[in-house]
Amino acid sequence: CLWRLFDCTVLPIFRLFNFFLAPHVLVDRIFKLTEEIKDLQTRHYDVSHVFITFETEAGQRTALSALKVPGRIDIAINNTARVASSTLFQGRVLNVEESPEPNAVRWMDISVTTTRKIVQRVISLSLTVALIVFAAFVVARIRRAVGPGLSGIFVTLFNTSIPQIVKLFLIFERHSTEGSRQKSLYLKITFFRWTNTAILTKLITPFTQTIGSGSKDVLPTINAILWSELLVSPFLRILDATGLFKKHVLAPRARNQEEMNLSFQGTPYHLGERYTDFTKVLFLCFFYSALFPATFFFCGAILIVQYYADKFCLMRIWEPAPFIGPQLAVSFVAMLQQEEPQYTLSLTHSPAQYHKLLCINLNRSFPDATSSRVLCLHSQSYPLMRGHSFPTTIFAYRTFQPRGSRKRTTM
């Protein structure tokens, strides 16, 4: 009975991804693919890329130096006047560059046109934005209904699960090299995690609840997110639920040795996805450092835990990754360079806002008062601010005059 239920509900979903196919279906596919291969062998194909090997590295450097073109515009317009005539090929300026490692070349995608690549990336980016909107809606509803504790856990769960969906989007993208694919993955996941972790909390919180101690204010929410990133995220990575399922469920039920060995290859990982965890923590730390200086200590602890968790996974859980080019490292350095101005903006802009914030809260406390000149507000009214950004004596100055009474000044 259970097997019939599994056959009617779960197996059709797996079969959409070519898992658990029946033997006769596999045989039919083999015959069909054989005919397609024979047909493809009779077609004529234009050359898209040419790979040349050299016996020495010196020969490679000499060829790259001789065939170097000053700019890509000259290649696009075929400006033969900018290069030597001996370097032309049938009257065309060649685009010669150093090749990536052989296992970093995506051989099935190198003939895809640039226009098609751009359209595919725009579509996948639009889907990523849709995921951000969905995650924001869910987190906002949970935070209003339950509180920041559970919403912080959901932020971490989304940061762990949504990147897996973003990786599925990359199936529809075409990249010539593995480095380009990792760069695209890195940028999309970074965009999602930065928005989901730091910016979302700022957007869904009213301005007057920024420095309060209530359960739905900013500081308790950020504190819950930091604790979740410190404990939940490394635990889920070390748990490796997918790998455990393959090793303890699929492997004992394998029909041959080769199929069983495939279950022990290790969990694939992406360097771009790991980079995003690092930049996400730094972005969250710098974004709220002026309001919550303890984020620096949280950030240091999170990065230390991430280091040892990733080291364990790299040695014990993950499968070897292919060699990639410098594209991902260049994007990572560019993102790190954006952290410094963002930190400077946080330091200069955040304290300047909260003179206004304290005045707004003051007007809520004295609804019958008319604003005038002088009022002294002690820091005990806002204990979370004590020792953070302002002195402990006077925050703002206003006067109030209750309706129907003489003008009073409080110091």
Side-chain angles (χ1 to χ4, degrees), residues 50-217:
V50 177
F51 293 88
I52 302 174
T53 59
F54 295 85
E55 293 185 358
T56 61
E57 185 177 355
Q60 181 200 40
R61 299 299 178 188
T62 303
L64 290 173
S65 177
L67 297 173
K68 183 179 180 181
V69 181
R72 291 190 174 273
I73 298 179
D74 297 323
I75 299 174
I77 65 176
N78 195 33
N79 188 3
T80 58
R82 297 292 301 273
V83 297
S85 58
S86 59
T87 61
L88 298 177
F89 178 76
Q90 297 180 354
R92 294 289 304 176
V93 178
L94 297 176
N95 181 16
V96 181
E97 57 186 13
E98 186 176 0
S99 172
E101 296 291 334
N103 60 351
V105 178
R106 299 178 63 84
W107 301 100
M108 302 299 294
D109 300 336
I110 57 178
S111 60
V112 179
T113 61
T114 303
T115 304
R116 183 181 175 186
K117 291 179 181 178
I118 293 175
V119 172
Q120 291 172 343
R121 295 176 192 184
V122 170
I123 294 174
S124 63
L125 180 60
S126 302
L127 294 175
T128 304
V129 173
L131 287 177
I132 292 175
V133 174
F134 170 75
F137 174 77
V138 173
V139 171
R141 292 295 298 270
I142 293 176
R143 184 180 168 191
R144 293 191 186 100
V146 181
L150 186 60
S151 67
I153 295 177
F154 265 83
V155 167
T156 300
L157 292 177
F158 279 133
N159 286 338
T160 303
S161 59
I162 295 297
Q164 309 304 320
I165 302 177
V166 175
K167 293 174 187 177
L168 295 179
F169 294 163
L170 292 184
I171 298 176
F172 306 102
E173 289 188 15
R174 296 293 180 263
H175 297 271
S176 301
T177 62
E178 185 65 27
S180 174
R181 182 174 180 271
Q182 292 285 340
K183 178 181 176 181
S184 177
L185 176 67
Y186 169 71
L187 294 177
K188 289 181 179 62
I189 297 180
T190 299
F191 178 46
F192 174 83
R193 284 180 169 172
W194 282 21
T195 305
N196 185 52
T197 305
I199 302 176
L200 172 61
T201 304
K202 187 81 170 179
L203 293 178
I204 66 177
T205 304
F207 181 71
T208 54
Q209 294 182 1
T210 304
I211 57 175
S213 59
S215 61
K216 298 179 182 180
D217 293 341

